Amino acid sequence: MGRGVLLTSNLPQLQNLIKRDPISYKEEFLQQWNHYNSIRQIFSINPDEQAHHFRELVSFISQVATCYPKETAQFPSQISSLLLESYGILSPDTRKTLIQNLIMLRNKDVISSIDLLKSLFPLLSRTSSSSLRSYIRKTILSDIKVANQKAQNHKLNRGVQAMLFTMVERGMSAEVQGDKGKLKAVNNPTHDRESNGADEAMWAVVLTKELWKKGVWKDAKSVSIVAQGCFHPVTKVQSASLHFFLGSEEPEEEPDEEEVSFLIFLSIDRFSKSPTQEVDVKSLHHRREINKKTRSGDKKLAKQLKTAKKKKQHKTPSSPNFSAIQLLNDPQTFGEKLYDSLNVYDKRFTLDHKILIMQLLSRVMGYHKLCVLGFYTYVVKYLFYRQLRVPSILVALAQSVHDLTPPDVITPIIRKLSQEFVHPGVASEVIAAGINSIREVSRRQPWAMEEDLLGDLVEYRKSKDKAVTAAARGLLRLYREVNPSMLKRRERGKEAAMGLASGSAPLPYGYSAEAAVDIEGLADRLQLLEDHLKQIREEDGGVADDIDDDAMWEGWDVESDSEPDSDDGEWINIDSDDNEDLVISDSDDEAQVKKAASNLDSESAQGPHISSLATTKILTPADFALLNDLRLKAAARAVETSGSTTAKRKLAALEALKAHSSEQPTQDEFISENDILGPRKKAKADYAERMASIQKGREGREKYGSRKGKQTKSTPSSSTNREKARNKPLMMILSSGAVRSKKKASLRDKQQRLRAHIERAKKAGH
């Protein structure tokens, strides 16, 4: 009797004994289990009653749940239901205890990862504690990362991605408020807080971006989640999704309570801030001099200065997320929806948000060579030199043009740029930006330029401004390469004139240089592979005539969308005796293929040689990997034998291609604002740059400085008379000559003294 009372009142001791011998203490556990069920029913009615004891019982059962799996089979679902259904009325300590024990059950493999995540995802948007929210977030990310550490857990990834996509899609039917209409929803007291699903969608996008950044998810399904967020009615979710594709920097700290609540519209749009925005160090020092001097103020200032210094050291230019843009599903529809959002809600979005959409739309159009012709009509109204952030708009315009864009659509754009930016009534920087913009557009679609306009723009190379001259010369060099016939004879240059004399002319819009006969560069590679396979057959004595293609596909299989245990996509064996009509002979096809291959071999003297492998064998990923290795070996042998510069360059290019095996678009496809603005004069240094330059100049020059009045000298000396005058009492200097002369000074003298003071201040830069 005494032992039972002792164990009932001391749950940690009972927990220790159960883990050592579960069978002997099963009755004591069942007693606590029945006690838990009784308190759980009371707790569901009145959560404040016996809350402390309920938390102790939950922790106890979670620790020993693996010892009695049958008895505690319903325990995880009870905890999860209590969290999801009664989260709002639970105390903070109870919430934290239930979540921690639910995670403990996952660590003990009592529940699966998908069951845990189903319970944690809804809690992210409902919790008001920043520490608990951070704990839930880290748990979700670490659980998915560990599950994919050794190999991709496709089943878990598909389940989690489906939940995240549902979280984003849940609020898609709401009305778009935009940045400018954010106060409308706040002033509406009847508006449902969860109607738009802003909090859930925001967390879905944030988690997907974190998993992409950590390299856990790199597939098209995760890209589709963020792509869906680009059309969410809440501007905050839209902005975060757009930044994912643009690759721009964002704050690393997690969203606070305001950002994931419905009052998201009142908070500062941190995701819409420019990534180049820096801390104003001068204003921090000035504010410190004015405010009251306290120790806490000194600590805050030191912390802010340290943060500013760290940002300045680690600041890197943003680059587009190439792989995410490449994995977009149906880019044409995605681009059209972006343009519709930009056009329909033009008056509801701020300029910064519209520029974000323009940048993403232009990069998708340029990379996938899309034709969203309405975008060029929309962007015309922003093409004037007084427009805010016009360099970013010009960059977006240039990136959206490609060789398949109709020239008739781009010609009015170029004419508008020349009329607004290139004329004597604007500054030289504006003219340079206009010519550079026209050059970047013409580089992608040369046929959009008019001959008379080109002649006028090229004349600006005689300007006295360096930036304008460089821009005009760049445009001249471009058309010397792409279409010298549009230039005047004296402007074409020697090489272009010789090319025109020989009869070479640029192809019209939509024409290709030659018909596609073979895969570019594949003939030589296939010849290497064919020789390699022939050598293997000779070494085997002619036994291995055919190589098993199924073995070559091992390790290169692409993930199937169906479950491993499903029958979808599998071959169905058909009995040929029962289905005589389905017997198909491919001997005729094989004969035709071999005949065509022999004809190609016999006609090799009449045209370029095409390897028979291209028509008789299906190349596997292993074949392509072998091709790359064979090309490297052949290039290395060429360098050893000849040692020519061309061979060395080819070897270096192949090695670089192997290091970056995943094909990525080059940076030349995307331009920056510096390409539009061109070379500029050195801007005036700010306070921080001047102080840094001064400190740099003082390094190593201590022995040349003045030691007058400094206490660090070997022989201390007194202070100067100027320093003594500053510290004199007021009554001692009232009768001095300097003070009396100021009192007796005439109005003219005071005006001259004041004017001299103002001039000195201007020269000092204050």
Side-chain angles (χ1 to χ4, degrees):
M1 188 67 181
R3 174 173 173 267
V5 173
L6 180 62
L7 293 179
T8 303
S9 60
N10 194 347
L11 291 179
Q13 182 182 2
L14 178 60
Q15 169 187 320
N16 185 24
L17 295 173
I18 289 177
K19 288 183 178 180
R20 294 183 179 181
D21 191 1
I23 300 176
S24 302
Y25 293 93
K26 186 175 182 179
E27 294 183 0
E28 285 79 359
F29 169 76
L30 292 177
Q31 181 181 359
Q32 299 297 331
W33 176 255
N34 294 331
H35 192 196
Y36 156 75
N37 288 325
S38 302
I39 295 182
R40 181 172 59 85
Q41 296 177 0
I42 299 173
F43 187 80
S44 60
I45 300 173
N46 186 8
D48 295 332
E49 187 175 352
Q50 297 185 353
H52 178 71
H53 191 42
F54 179 74
R55 292 195 295 267
E56 291 181 349
L57 285 172
V58 169
S59 301
F60 166 74
I61 297 175
S62 300
Q63 290 285 349
V64 299
T66 54
C67 300
Y68 308 102
K70 292 183 179 180
E71 288 78 3
T72 60
Q74 301 299 324
F75 177 70
S77 59
Q78 293 172 358
I79 299 299
S80 178
S81 301
L82 186 61
L83 277 171
L84 297 177
E85 296 174 2
S86 306
Y87 188 84
I89 60 176
L90 297 177
S91 63
D93 293 337
T94 304
R95 297 173 186 172
K96 186 175 181 180
T97 301
L98 295 179
I99 292 174
Q100 288 177 343
N101 285 282
L102 197 62
I103 296 173
M104 184 194 302
L105 294 175
R106 168 66 192 106
N107 296 334
K108 293 178 177 291
D109 289 331
V110 177
I111 59 176
S112 61
S113 294
I114 196 68
D115 294 332
L116 174 65
L117 297 178
K118 284 181 180 179
S119 303
L120 294 184
F121 275 138
L123 302 182
L124 272 174
S125 57
R126 300 175 64 180
T127 181
S128 58
S129 172
S130 60
S131 59
L132 183 59
R133 186 170 54 246
S134 177
Y135 176 65
I136 296 174
R137 177 186 181 181
K138 291 179 181 177
T139 301
I140 293 174
L141 295 176
S142 62
D143 189 76
I144 299 176
K145 184 178 180 180
V146 171
N148 292 273
Q149 193 167 10
K150 295 182 179 179
Q152 286 289 319
N153 192 339
H154 299 301
K155 185 176 181 180
L156 174 64
N157 293 340
R158 284 195 295 269
V160 176
Q161 288 168 349
M163 287 191 291
L164 294 177
F165 192 85
T166 305
M167 292 168 64
V168 177
E169 200 175 25
R170 194 169 294 156
M172 295 295 295
S173 59
E175 182 184 0
V176 177
Q177 295 292 335
D179 293 9
K180 297 179 181 178
K182 55 189 176 183
L183 295 178
K184 297 179 182 179
V186 176
N187 295 331
N188 185 4
T190 60
H191 192 90
D192 187 4
R193 180 177 181 269
E194 297 180 354
S195 60
N196 291 342
D199 42 7
E200 291 186 352
M202 188 67 186
W203 277 113
V205 172
V206 168
L207 292 175
T208 305
K209 292 168 65 176
E210 285 289 333
L211 292 169
W212 180 279
K213 184 178 179 181
K214 294 178 182 296
V216 180
W217 287 353
K218 288 290 184 179
D219 55 350
K221 294 180 181 178
S222 54
V223 173
S224 64
I225 296 173
V226 189
Q228 185 73 5
C230 293
F231 312 109
H232 199 275
V234 178
T235 313
K236 192 75 170 186
V237 182
Q238 263 193 26
S239 183
S241 304
L242 294 172
H243 276 286
F244 169 74
F245 289 103
L246 296 176
S248 53
E249 295 292 332
E250 297 181 60
E252 296 183 356
E253 62 270 13
E254 65 171 11
D256 54 17
E257 184 178 356
E258 293 180 353
E259 290 178 325
V260 293
S261 66
F262 181 72
L263 297 180
I264 193 173
F265 300 101
L266 284 180
S267 60
I268 299 176
D269 195 358
R270 297 188 313 185
F271 291 98
S272 297
K273 283 187 177 181
S274 174
T276 60
Q277 188 173 3
E278 299 178 357
V279 180
D280 192 351
V281 180
K282 184 176 180 181
S283 64
L284 292 178
H285 286 287
H286 179 67
R287 193 180 304 117
R288 183 65 191 133
E289 292 175 359
I290 295 176
N291 295 340
K292 185 179 179 181
K293 309 298 186 295
T294 57
R295 291 184 179 179
S296 61
D298 294 336
K299 292 180 180 178
K300 290 180 181 179
L301 177 62
K303 186 177 180 181
Q304 290 172 338
L305 293 176
K306 184 178 179 181
T307 304
K309 183 179 180 181
K310 187 176 180 182
K311 285 184 178 180
K312 190 173 182 179
Q313 291 176 350
H314 298 280
K315 185 178 69 173
T316 56
S318 62
S319 58
N321 195 342
F322 297 118
S323 55
I325 295 177
Q326 185 180 9
L327 291 174
L328 278 172
N329 182 28
D330 193 1
Q332 180 68 37
T333 304
F334 180 79
E336 291 176 355
K337 291 176 69 176
L338 276 178
Y339 167 68
D340 292 340
S341 175
L342 188 65
N343 188 31
V344 174
Y345 304 108
D346 178 68
K347 295 184 179 180
R348 297 188 182 183
F349 292 150
T350 59
L351 178 63
D352 292 338
H353 190 74
K354 286 187 284 189
I355 289 177
L356 281 179
I357 301 178
M358 289 182 193
Q359 289 175 343
L360 178 56
L361 176 58
S362 64
R363 286 172 179 172
V364 174
M365 290 173 63
Y367 179 73
H368 292 282
K369 296 189 177 182
L370 309 180
C371 289
V372 185
L373 303 182
F375 172 70
Y376 302 106
T377 307
Y378 172 83
V379 80
V380 167
K381 62 182 179 180
Y382 294 103
L383 299 182
F384 57 95
Y385 71 96
R386 291 186 180 273
Q387 171 65 47
L388 294 176
R389 297 192 61 185
V390 69
S392 300
I393 299 175
L394 294 176
V395 168
L397 171 63
Q399 288 177 345
S400 64
V401 182
H402 49 84
D403 55 351
L404 299 181
T405 306
D408 297 340
V409 181
I410 307 300
T411 301
I413 299 292
I414 295 180
R415 193 180 300 119
K416 175 73 172 179
L417 288 173
S418 61
Q419 292 173 356
E420 294 291 339
F421 290 85
V422 189
H423 58 84
V426 296
S428 58
E429 292 86 356
V430 178
I431 298 176
I435 298 178
N436 287 330
S437 303
I438 295 174
R439 184 196 68 225
E440 293 298 333
V441 172
S442 302
R443 186 189 304 278
R444 291 157 174 79
Q445 183 49 270
W447 292 103
M449 175 64 72
E450 297 174 324
E451 187 172 351
D452 296 338
L453 178 59
L454 178 60
D456 295 340
L457 295 176
V458 168
E459 289 296 326
Y460 276 91
R461 71 185 187 277
K462 302 175 183 178
S463 174
K464 296 182 179 180
D465 188 80
K466 181 179 179 181
V468 177
T469 303
R473 288 177 179 176
L475 185 62
L476 177 62
R477 285 194 301 269
L478 172 65
Y479 272 90
R480 282 179 176 176
E481 298 174 0
V482 297
N483 194 357
S485 61
M486 296 183 66
L487 296 170
K488 297 178 182 179
R489 180 172 297 180
R490 64 176 181 272
E491 297 170 350
R492 292 173 182 173
K494 181 179 179 180
E495 295 182 1
M498 293 175 61
L500 288 176
S502 63
S504 62
L507 292 174
Y509 166 69
Y511 281 72
S512 178
E514 56 184 8
V517 178
D518 188 16
I519 301 176
E520 182 180 0
L522 189 60
D524 298 337
R525 306 181 196 181
L526 288 180
Q527 188 63 38
L528 290 173
L529 181 61
E530 190 174 3
D531 296 341
H532 178 72
L533 296 178
K534 184 178 180 180
Q535 183 180 359
I536 293 178
R537 293 190 185 98
E538 291 176 355
E539 293 176 356
D540 294 341
V543 178
D545 293 335
D546 296 326
I547 298 178
D548 187 8
D549 287 343
D550 295 336
M552 300 292 286
W553 279 97
E554 291 183 1
W556 300 92
D557 292 336
V558 181
E559 174 197 352
S560 174
D561 292 334
S562 59
E563 295 291 337
D565 55 350
S566 63
D567 295 335
D568 298 337
E570 295 183 356
W571 291 102
I572 302 175
N573 297 324
I574 301 177
D575 191 0
S576 59
D577 297 336
D578 299 335
N579 301 276
E580 297 179 357
D581 296 336
L582 296 178
V583 177
I584 300 174
S585 175
D586 56 353
S587 59
D588 296 337
D589 296 337
E590 292 179 356
Q592 293 177 2
V593 170
K594 293 180 180 178
K595 183 178 180 181
S598 62
N599 292 335
L600 288 173
D601 294 336
S602 63
E603 297 176 359
S604 59
Q606 302 177 3
H609 174 72
I610 300 177
S611 175
S612 60
L613 289 178
T615 56
T616 59
K617 177 179 174 60
I618 298 177
L619 298 180
T620 63
D623 292 331
F624 285 103
L626 181 59
L627 272 174
N628 295 331
D629 294 338
L630 292 175
R631 292 180 68 199
L632 272 174
K633 293 179 181 178
R637 287 195 300 268
V639 171
E640 293 176 358
T641 55
S642 64
S644 62
T645 307
T646 305
K648 293 180 180 179
R649 289 177 180 175
K650 184 177 180 180
L651 178 61
L654 290 174
E655 291 176 349
L657 182 63
K658 185 177 181 181
H660 303 83
S661 57
S662 59
E663 185 178 355
Q664 297 288 354
T666 60
Q667 186 66 25
D668 296 338
E669 297 182 12
F670 299 96
I671 61 177
S672 63
E673 294 185 9
N674 293 330
D675 299 327
I676 297 295
L677 298 176
R680 290 168 291 171
K681 296 180 181 178
K682 185 178 179 181
K684 185 178 179 180
D686 56 6
Y687 176 79
E689 293 175 348
R690 291 199 304 271
M691 293 303 298
S693 177
I694 292 172
Q695 294 297 332
K696 185 177 180 181
R698 291 176 178 175
E699 293 178 358
R701 296 182 56 88
E702 290 80 5
K703 62 179 181 179
Y704 300 106
S706 173
R707 312 298 296 175
K708 185 178 180 181
K710 295 183 179 179
Q711 301 299 324
T712 57
K713 296 190 300 182
S714 58
T715 305
S717 60
S718 62
S719 59
T720 62
N721 291 335
R722 191 180 185 89
E723 292 175 349
K724 293 176 181 177
R726 290 175 183 172
N727 298 326
K728 277 187 178 181
L730 180 62
M731 299 304 296
M732 291 182 64
I733 62 174
L734 284 178
S735 58
S736 63
V739 175
R740 284 185 294 179
S741 63
K742 288 182 180 180
K743 290 181 180 179
K744 296 179 180 180
S746 63
L747 180 60
R748 177 64 177 168
D749 295 337
K750 292 181 180 179
Q751 289 177 346
Q752 290 179 350
R753 191 181 295 115
L754 178 60
R755 188 174 294 109
H757 171 73
I758 293 174
E759 292 296 331
R760 287 194 301 270
K762 286 182 179 180
K763 292 180 180 180
H766 296 297

